[in-house]
Amino acid sequence: MTTPRGFRDRADDSLLTLIGEIPELIRNLVIAEIDAAKAWLSRTAKDGGWGALWAFAALFVLFWSVPVLGTFVIAGLSSWWPVWLSALVVFFAMLVITAVLAWLGILRFKKIGERQNPVQSIALDVKEVRDEL
């Protein structure tokens, strides 16, 4: 007799029959899990690829919008100053901003060197335990 979902009713099967089917059931379960993992990995890779593409497109547009912003600022300043002075002021302002951002990046990289490596921490713990004994 089969159930509405198509599975066979095993209530009348003997214990030895059920035990004999365990390897096949485990094999089917492992195959189903591997197939599910492959499908998940495929969907995740596809979504990650599309996400990376959209992020790259956004960065591309942002990259080309920075000169437009600079031109806008130069045009705005040129109503008070000559165009060459406006461009020079914007150039030096961008240099100052670049220097500040680089300095912040250098400080962040220095923090990496100050942290203790987990492997060094374990080695130090092992050394402490050996010295105690």
Side-chain angles (χ1 to χ4, degrees):
M1 182 168 116
T2 60
T3 62
R5 295 179 71 193
F7 294 107
R8 191 168 56 88
D9 185 15
R10 297 176 177 255
D12 295 331
D13 289 349
S14 70
L15 179 63
L16 293 177
T17 303
L18 293 174
I19 290 174
E21 292 179 359
I22 288 177
E24 181 184 354
L25 292 173
I26 291 174
R27 179 184 165 277
N28 292 341
L29 178 64
V30 169
I31 289 172
E33 288 295 329
I34 290 172
D35 289 342
K38 285 180 185 177
W40 175 84
L41 186 61
S42 173
R43 284 190 312 268
T44 303
K46 181 181 175 184
D47 291 340
W50 278 107
L53 177 71
W54 290 120
F56 176 76
L59 288 174
F60 180 79
V61 170
L62 179 65
F63 176 77
W64 288 108
S65 66
V66 171
V68 172
L69 178 65
T71 305
F72 172 75
V73 172
I74 290 170
L77 288 175
S78 68
S79 53
W80 293 293
W81 298 332
V83 175
W84 66 269
L85 182 61
S86 302
L88 201 59
V89 167
V90 169
F91 174 72
F92 282 116
M94 287 186 175
L95 281 181
V96 169
I97 291 171
T98 302
V100 168
L101 292 174
W103 180 65
L104 291 173
I106 289 170
L107 289 178
R108 185 60 68 163
F109 279 124
K110 283 184 179 180
K111 271 186 160 180
I112 293 173
E114 294 171 359
R115 289 191 192 124
Q116 188 176 15
N117 187 344
V119 175
Q120 292 171 341
S121 176
I122 293 170
L124 183 64
D125 291 344
V126 168
K127 183 181 178 213
E128 292 284 332
V129 169
R130 285 185 181 166
D131 290 344
E132 295 284 326
L133 296 177

